[in-house]
């Protein structure tokens, strides 16, 4: 019994230690394994790139995608991958691999894509890929390969794409032995450029015919070619076996003379690209392309600087060989860059004449720094069949076009900013559907630039310095995309928003891209931001827009909607505060103004009536303090009329020879009463106010009193013109404050109402009048 228990304890301890050891091993493995691993559609992907690995780590056998690029791996031990039967993609590019052998890729029976580019491989031994029957893509570019062995490609019967470019594989039988391509039964693309740099210019560069003739399924071929001064054809008899070849990319053509039989053995070519070439034509018949009955695309891509450019006559001779061909696309890049300048109007108009016999649909004339266009030049014309015109990256500062049938116009990377601010492109009533004006230093577009462009669907204006989109959009009924990315737009003006609203009304699917613009988020731009929020379905990446605040900071990514809501709340409170303060200030100003006006009401009224009298008086009386029409103007209430007529006139006019102004007698009929009063005061030496309770209650009596008081202050240099006669006894509290203050400062007289004292009373009045 004890023995059984003892045995069980030993087993438990052993199993515990075993689990501990395995867990420790797994933990150490996880610490060392720094690669990223993830599944996509059930397939394991492992990314070990940029890890400074010197060797390939232990990897799970179910790995399907393995990325080991950008490390420092020098060698791969034999049979490293023998357990990785599921691997489909292996990327070993940008390492320091120097050699391979026939066991390097053992086990990779399902591998489809192998990248070995940018290493230091000098040779690929025989049967290196014998275990990789499923391989379809092999990249050996940018190594130091000097030759291909006769059996290098054994086992690659399913390979479709092979990249051998940028090595040291010169074109001869020793480097490419006859039969070395024979295993490549399914190859459709061969890239073998930049392998033939010769110290001697004008040498012929011709790929061995017998070697390439085995690639019977080849469709795309990229080669270095040059005729030199040899009579040997660069596309010799061996190319006649390439029945499926439709694309030829000829590169590094230091000397390439096109003859009428150049394409004799490649009649099925539909695409011909001359890259870094200046092909020459010397025949007079111009039949260089006559064998290419299926030609669709021709590209002429010249050297950047160090070989002679084509001149205009040579280019036209070359283009004339395209007459009556089936060409659809013509691309011309870097043809005029180094020696002399040519006119765009001249060269494109001449090219158009040559292409009128074709059905050309696309014309690309780009990257030509020495091509100019003057505003006085004739408009550029194009063949009537042309649908796409690309004249990008030519540094044009002006441009006139006559392209009514063109649907796509590409003008990127020029200098048309100043021109387009003041001119249209003269393409009204065209069929234009797409225009690209990126990177032209455009700060403003002429208002009518897109007038009558009813077919226009795409307007691309990215990478300019626009601050608004204020141009006429009324004709853009089919606009689909307005691309304003990477400009200087802080907000769109009211006019721009009105124009865009018209577009939205015509086409509910219109999209605008304002990405990477410094959109300003402030209370000032809130109307624009609210408009954007209401029209959000029209803005591409609306939720990813970022705000620039007034302090120069930026909003967080993907927070645009939240920022707008917060800004709306803050600005609403802000506006309430501004409105409240504004009303308070206005109310204070109004009260203060009212107080000032009330305080100086009589002065203001006096000045008003005086000015009015001055400009309306029929007598045009000039003030003269030494000559007055009347000795005194008598101001009285109608209730005191009997006293004025019976006493004042009798004692002052009849007995004392004075002339009085009495309103019942002397006021001019038909004149305004206020005008009569002011005239009476100004034409009288003194104003005598007959003070009584009726006087104080009379509006016009108090008006006469105050006007006379203002006359003293403002027209008589402070000399008193008022004389008060108290016809009734009044208590101080019955007197208005202004009248009471005047009594305190100036003399007055009370009517005595007895015969003896009356004589003295009237004498004192006479003396006061003449004082």
């Amino acid at each position: 019994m004890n023995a059984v228990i003892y045995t069980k304890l030993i087993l438990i301890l052993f199993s515990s230690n075993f689990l501990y050891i395995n867990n420790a091993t797994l933990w150490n493995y996880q610490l060392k394994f720094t690669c990223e691993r993830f599944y996509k559609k059930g397939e394991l992907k492992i990314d070990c790139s940029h890890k400074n690995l010197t060797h390939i780590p232990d990897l799970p056998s179910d790995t399907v995608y393995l990325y080991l690029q950008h490390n420092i791996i020098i060698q791969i031990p034999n049979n490293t991958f023998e357990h990785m039967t599921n691997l489909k993609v292996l990327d070993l590019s940008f390492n320091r691999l120097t050699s391979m052998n026939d066991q390097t890729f053992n086990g990779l029976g399902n591998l489809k894509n192998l990248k070995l580019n940018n290493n230091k491989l000098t040779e690929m031994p025989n049967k290196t890929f014998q275990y990789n029957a499923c391989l379809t893509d092999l990249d050996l570019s940018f190594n130091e390969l000097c030759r291909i062995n006769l059996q290098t490609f054994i086992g690659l019967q399913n390979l479709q794409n092979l990249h051998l470019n940028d090595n040291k594989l010169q074109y001869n039988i020793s480097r490419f032995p006859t039969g070395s391509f024979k295993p490549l039964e399914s190859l459709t693309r061969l890239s073998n450029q930049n392998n033939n740099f010769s110290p001697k210019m004008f040498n012929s560069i011709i790929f061995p015919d017998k070697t390439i003739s085995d690639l019977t399924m080849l469709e795309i071929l990229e080669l270095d070619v040059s005729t030199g001064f040899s009579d040997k054809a660069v596309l010799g008899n061996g190319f006649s076996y390439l029945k499926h070849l439709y694309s030829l990319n000829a590169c590094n053509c230091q000397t390439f003379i096109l003859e009428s039989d150049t394409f004799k053995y490649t009649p099925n070519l539909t695409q011909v690209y001359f890259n870094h070439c200046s092909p020459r034509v010397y025949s007079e018949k111009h039949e260089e392309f006559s064998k290419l009955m299926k030609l669709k695309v021709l590209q002429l891509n010249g050297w950047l600087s160090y070989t002679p450019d084509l001149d205009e006559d040579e280019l036209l001779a070359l283009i004339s060989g395209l007459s009556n061909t089936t060409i659809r696309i013509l691309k011309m890049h870097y043809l005029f860059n180094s020696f002399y300048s040519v006119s765009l109007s001249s060269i494109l108009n001449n090219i158009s004449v040559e292409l009128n016999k074709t059905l050309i649909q696309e014309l690309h004339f780009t990257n030509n720094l020495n091509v100019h266009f003057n505003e006085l030049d004739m408009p550029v014309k194009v063949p009537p069949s042309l649908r796409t015109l690309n004249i990008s990256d030519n540094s044009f500062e002006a441009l006139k076009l006559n392209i009514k049938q063109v649907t796509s116009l590409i003008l990127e990377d020029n200098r048309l900013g100043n021109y387009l601010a003041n001119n249209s492109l003269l393409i009204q009533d065209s069929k234009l559907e797409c225009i690209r004006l990126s990177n032209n230093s455009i700060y403003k577009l002429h208002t009518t630039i897109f007038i009558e462009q009813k077919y226009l669907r795409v307007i691309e204006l990215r990478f300019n310095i626009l601050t608004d989109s204020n141009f006429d959009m009324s004709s853009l009924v089919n606009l689909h995309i307005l691309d304003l990315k990477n400009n200087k737009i802080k907000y769109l003006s009211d006019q721009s928003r009105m124009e865009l609203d018209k577009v939205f009304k015509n086409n509910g699917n219109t999209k605008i891209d304002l990405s990477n613009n410094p959109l300003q988020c402030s209370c000032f731009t809130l109307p624009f931001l609210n408009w954007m929020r209401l029209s959000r379905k029209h803005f591409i990446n609306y939720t990813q827009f970022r705000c620039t605040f007034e302090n120069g900071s930026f909003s967080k990514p993907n927070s645009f909607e939240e920022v707008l809501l917060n800004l709306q709340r803050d600005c609403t409170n802000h506006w309430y505060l501004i409105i409240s303060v504004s009303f308070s200030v206005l109310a204070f100003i109004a009260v203060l103004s009212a107080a000032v006006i009330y305080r100086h009401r009589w002065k203001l009224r006096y000045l008003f009536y005086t000015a009015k009298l001055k400009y309306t008086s029929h007598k045009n009386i000039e003030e003269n303090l030494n000559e007055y029409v009347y000795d005194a103007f008598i101001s009285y209430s109608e209730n005191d009329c009997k006293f004025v007529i019976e006493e004042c006139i009798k004692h002052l006019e009849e007995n004392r020879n004075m002339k009085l102004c009495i309103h019942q007698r002397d006021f001019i009929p038909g004149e305004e009463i206020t005008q009569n009063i002011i005239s009476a005061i100004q034409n009288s030496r003194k104003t005598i106010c007959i003070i009584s309770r009726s006087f104080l209650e009379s509006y016009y009596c108090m008006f006469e009193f105050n006007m006379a008081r203002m006359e003293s202050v403002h027209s008589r240099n402070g000399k008193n013109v008022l004389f008060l006669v108290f016809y009734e006894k009044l208590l101080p509290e019955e007197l208005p404050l202004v009248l009471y203050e005047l009594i305190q400062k100036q003399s007055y007289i009370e009517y005595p109402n007895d015969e003896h004292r009356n004589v003295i009373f009237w004498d004192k009045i006479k003396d006061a009048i003449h004082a």
Side-chain angles (χ1 to χ4, degrees):
M1 186 67 179
N2 291 334
V4 174
I5 295 173
Y6 181 74
T7 302
K8 288 183 177 180
L9 287 173
I10 291 174
L11 288 173
I12 291 171
L13 289 172
F14 177 78
S15 61
S16 299
N17 287 331
F18 178 77
L19 290 172
Y20 173 76
I21 291 170
N22 278 278
N23 287 334
T25 302
L26 180 61
W27 176 252
N28 289 331
Y29 171 75
Q30 290 176 342
L31 283 177
K32 293 179 181 178
F33 192 76
T34 58
C35 304
E36 298 177 10
R37 50 190 296 168
F38 52 93
Y39 285 89
K40 186 174 182 180
K41 296 183 178 179
E43 296 179 329
L44 177 60
K45 294 189 176 184
I46 295 181
D47 187 354
C48 296
S49 59
H50 298 277
K51 301 295 183 182
N52 290 323
L53 298 178
T54 58
H55 65 280
I56 297 174
D58 293 334
L59 299 163
S61 60
D62 60 342
T63 304
V64 179
Y65 300 86
L66 176 58
Y67 302 101
L68 288 161
Q69 67 269 28
H70 292 281
N71 284 293
I72 49 178
I73 301 171
I74 298 175
Q75 288 185 338
I76 301 176
N78 290 346
N79 303 316
T80 297
F81 301 108
E82 64 178 349
H83 66 293
M84 303 187 69
T85 57
N86 294 305
L87 197 64
K88 293 181 180 179
V89 174
L90 174 58
D91 191 342
L92 285 161
S93 60
F94 294 94
N95 277 280
R96 300 179 185 178
L97 296 171
T98 57
S99 63
M100 301 283 170
N101 61 54
D102 58 358
Q103 296 300 312
T104 300
F105 301 113
N106 181 23
L108 300 180
N110 289 307
L111 190 66
K112 292 186 176 181
N113 191 318
L114 176 59
K115 293 186 177 181
L116 295 169
N117 54 291
N118 294 88
N119 279 282
K120 297 184 180 297
L121 298 171
T122 58
E123 185 178 4
M124 300 305 295
N126 290 337
K127 299 183 180 181
T128 300
F129 307 105
Q130 62 179 328
Y131 302 110
N132 311 126
C134 291
L135 199 63
T136 58
D137 292 89
L138 175 60
D139 192 345
L140 293 168
S141 61
F142 293 94
N143 277 283
E144 299 176 8
L145 296 175
C146 296
R147 69 187 306 271
I148 297 298
N149 292 322
L150 191 60
Q151 297 182 355
T152 293
F153 299 122
I154 288 291
L156 296 181
Q157 61 269 18
N158 291 306
L159 191 68
Q160 296 177 11
N161 299 303
L162 175 60
H163 297 272
L164 295 172
N165 51 288
D166 295 275
N167 280 284
K168 298 179 180 179
L169 296 166
Q170 293 187 9
Y171 295 173
N172 55 58
I173 294 296
S174 64
R175 304 298 175 96
F176 291 95
T178 301
S180 57
F181 284 160
K182 196 171 185 64
L184 303 176
E185 300 173 2
S186 302
L187 195 70
T188 59
R189 179 177 180 179
L190 173 62
S191 177
N192 198 22
Q193 293 177 334
N194 300 323
N195 277 303
N196 264 284
F197 289 112
S198 172
K200 297 181 180 179
M201 290 186 65
F202 310 120
N203 282 0
S204 61
I205 301 174
I206 301 172
F207 197 85
D209 278 15
K210 292 183 180 180
T211 302
I212 205 167
S213 62
D214 291 327
L215 300 177
T216 56
M217 301 302 293
L218 198 64
E219 297 177 356
I220 301 173
L221 178 60
E222 299 169 0
L223 288 175
D224 300 323
V225 294
S226 179
T227 59
F229 294 111
S230 171
D231 293 334
K232 191 174 181 180
V234 293
L235 304 175
N237 184 48
F239 287 83
S240 63
Y241 293 91
L242 311 184
K243 303 296 184 182
H244 300 281
L245 186 67
Y246 70 84
S247 178
L248 173 66
N249 190 322
C251 187
N252 300 320
C253 319
Q254 294 174 343
T255 306
F256 192 178
I257 300 173
L258 283 172
E259 304 286 353
S260 60
D261 60 351
T262 297
F263 302 105
K264 176 181 179 181
Y265 299 111
T266 57
N268 295 319
L269 287 176
T270 60
Q271 302 173 12
V272 177
Y273 303 91
F274 290 106
N275 282 308
H276 306 301
C277 294
S278 296
R280 261 41 182 198
V281 174
Y282 295 119
S283 65
E284 296 181 358
K285 293 184 178 180
H286 304 309
E287 297 177 346
E288 295 76 23
F289 300 102
S290 60
K291 299 294 189 296
L292 300 178
M293 302 303 294
K294 299 179 181 180
L295 183 64
K296 302 296 183 185
V297 180
L298 174 63
Q299 175 174 298
L300 303 174
N301 190 347
W303 292 90
L304 291 178
S305 61
Y306 57 87
T307 59
D309 295 339
L310 287 171
D311 62 29
E312 187 174 346
D313 292 336
E314 288 176 316
L315 179 60
L316 292 176
L318 187 62
I319 300 301
S320 65
L322 297 171
S323 297
N324 301 314
T325 67
T326 57
I327 189 169
R328 293 292 185 271
I329 302 173
L330 175 59
K331 299 180 179 181
M332 297 176 286
H333 315 301
Y334 297 109
L335 297 182
F336 301 95
N337 281 301
S338 57
F339 286 95
Y340 59 91
S341 179
V342 297
S343 167
L344 176 72
S345 178
S346 170
I347 192 166
L348 284 190
N349 287 340
N350 288 332
I351 288 174
S352 296
V353 172
E354 299 294 338
L355 294 176
N356 279 339
K357 299 178 183 179
T358 70
L359 295 176
I360 185 79
Q361 292 183 346
E362 292 186 24
L363 177 59
H364 301 258
F365 189 81
T366 65
N367 300 91
N368 295 286
L369 300 180
N370 280 348
V371 177
H372 65 268
F373 186 95
N374 296 321
E375 292 192 40
L376 298 178
D377 288 349
M378 295 291 292
V380 172
K381 296 181 180 179
V382 296
S385 60
L386 198 71
R387 296 295 177 266
T388 297
L389 176 61
N390 182 356
I391 43 180
S392 302
D393 204 1
N394 289 296
S395 301
F396 295 140
E397 297 181 357
L399 195 60
K400 294 179 182 178
L401 301 171
N402 183 2
I403 53 171
K404 289 189 176 182
Q405 301 302 317
V406 170
T407 59
S408 180
L409 176 61
I410 306 171
L411 298 171
E412 298 173 342
D413 300 292
N414 284 291
R415 302 174 185 173
L416 295 170
N418 287 331
Y419 182 78
L420 294 180
N422 301 291
N423 300 276
S424 180
L425 287 171
L426 304 180
I427 53 174
Q428 293 185 13
D429 299 321
S430 73
K431 304 294 184 182
L432 195 63
E433 295 180 9
C434 174
I435 183 169
R436 303 187 188 279
L437 291 164
S438 299
N439 199 19
N440 267 284
S441 300
I442 299 173
Y443 56 90
K444 176 186 175 183
L445 285 172
H446 192 261
T447 304
T448 62
I449 188 169
F450 298 125
I451 286 291
E452 303 300 328
Q453 300 300 325
K454 58 184 178 181
Y455 299 103
L456 199 56
R457 292 174 51 80
V458 177
I459 301 175
E460 187 177 292
L461 293 163
R462 59 175 64 185
F463 292 101
N464 284 292
I465 50 177
L466 287 166
T467 58
D468 201 356
S469 61
N470 194 7
F471 49 83
D472 193 325
M473 301 185 192
S474 58
S475 302
L476 304 178
V477 294
N478 289 304
L479 185 64
H480 185 62
I481 295 178
L482 175 60
D483 191 342
L484 294 167
K485 287 179 65 175
N486 296 91
N487 277 275
K488 304 293 182 183
I489 297 174
K490 294 182 178 180
Y491 63 93
L492 295 178
S493 64
D494 293 344
Q495 181 63 32
S496 295
R497 300 202 295 270
M498 289 174 59
E499 294 292 338
L500 285 170
D501 282 337
K502 296 177 186 176
V503 175
F504 297 160
K505 185 177 180 181
N506 290 325
N507 187 352
N509 295 320
T510 302
K511 301 293 182 183
I512 304 173
D513 197 344
L514 285 173
S515 304
N516 298 326
N517 276 280
L519 299 177
Q520 188 179 72
C521 288
S522 65
C523 294
F524 174 74
T525 62
L526 187 58
F528 160 66
L529 298 172
N530 281 331
W531 173 80
M532 278 185 65
R533 187 164 58 86
L534 294 174
S535 306
R536 72 184 74 186
K537 71 173 184 178
H538 295 289
F539 290 91
I540 299 174
N541 298 324
Y542 168 80
T543 58
Q544 299 177 23
F545 289 163
R546 297 187 67 182
C547 271
T548 303
F549 298 111
E550 290 181 320
N551 60 4
S553 62
F554 297 94
S555 63
K556 296 179 181 179
N558 301 316
S559 64
F560 190 67
E561 185 73 17
E562 181 182 353
V563 168
L564 294 194
L565 293 175
N566 292 335
L567 186 66
Q568 188 172 25
R569 183 187 65 247
D570 295 342
C571 290
T572 301
N573 296 335
H574 179 67
W575 282 112
Y576 281 146
L577 179 61
I578 290 177
I579 292 172
S580 300
V581 172
S582 299
F583 273 116
S584 299
V585 171
L586 289 174
F588 173 77
I589 293 174
V591 171
L592 182 63
S593 300
V596 171
I597 291 172
Y598 182 79
R599 176 180 176 85
H600 299 281
R601 63 191 184 282
W602 291 112
K603 176 181 178 181
L604 295 173
R605 294 177 75 179
Y606 170 76
L607 294 175
F608 170 76
Y609 289 123
T610 300
K612 184 177 179 181
L613 178 64
K614 178 179 180 181
Y615 290 105
T616 59
S617 175
H618 299 294
K619 298 178 180 180
N620 194 22
I621 301 172
E622 294 184 0
E623 180 180 346
N624 190 333
L625 298 180
N626 297 320
E627 297 180 2
Y628 295 98
V629 177
Y630 304 102
D631 290 302
F633 166 56
I634 307 299
S635 175
Y636 61 94
S637 169
E638 289 297 326
N639 294 336
D640 303 323
C641 177
K642 182 178 179 181
F643 169 73
V644 172
I645 294 174
E646 294 181 354
E647 297 291 333
C648 291
I649 293 176
K650 174 183 177 182
H651 291 288
L652 293 176
E653 277 195 340
E654 295 177 1
N655 297 339
R656 288 173 175 79
N657 197 29
M658 302 184 70
K659 188 174 183 180
L660 303 178
C661 179
I662 309 298
H663 72 263
Q664 290 178 329
R665 182 187 67 186
D666 298 311
F667 276 11
I668 300 174
E671 292 281 357
E672 291 184 10
I673 187 170
T674 54
Q675 189 170 332
N676 272 312
I677 292 171
I678 298 298
S679 178
I681 292 172
Q682 290 185 344
N683 287 292
S684 301
R685 192 183 303 275
K686 288 289 173 59
T687 297
I688 299 175
C689 295
I690 310 299
I691 308 298
S692 65
R693 289 182 176 83
S694 298
F695 182 93
L696 299 178
E697 294 172 356
S698 171
Y699 169 81
Y700 283 108
C701 289
M702 292 304 297
F703 177 83
E704 292 167 348
F705 163 76
N706 282 293
M707 290 299 102
R709 185 166 59 87
M710 292 298 107
E711 175 77 7
S712 297
V713 176
H714 299 289
S715 297
R716 305 287 179 96
N717 296 323
K719 183 177 181 181
N720 184 30
V721 299
L722 262 175
F723 188 76
L724 305 181
V725 175
F726 280 84
Y727 185 61
E728 293 181 350
K729 292 184 179 291
L730 299 172
L731 297 175
E733 54 267 25
E734 294 182 88
L735 300 175
L737 182 60
V738 65
L739 185 62
Y740 186 79
E741 290 177 352
L742 192 64
I743 293 172
Q744 301 296 319
K745 296 178 180 180
Q746 299 179 5
S747 60
Y748 64 93
I749 190 171
E750 295 181 356
Y751 180 65
N753 203 17
D754 64 65
E755 185 176 347
H756 174 70
R757 293 173 62 188
N758 277 353
V759 175
I760 299 172
F761 170 80
W762 295 113
D763 286 337
K764 285 185 177 181
I765 289 178
K766 178 181 178 182
D767 294 339
I769 290 172
H770 290 285

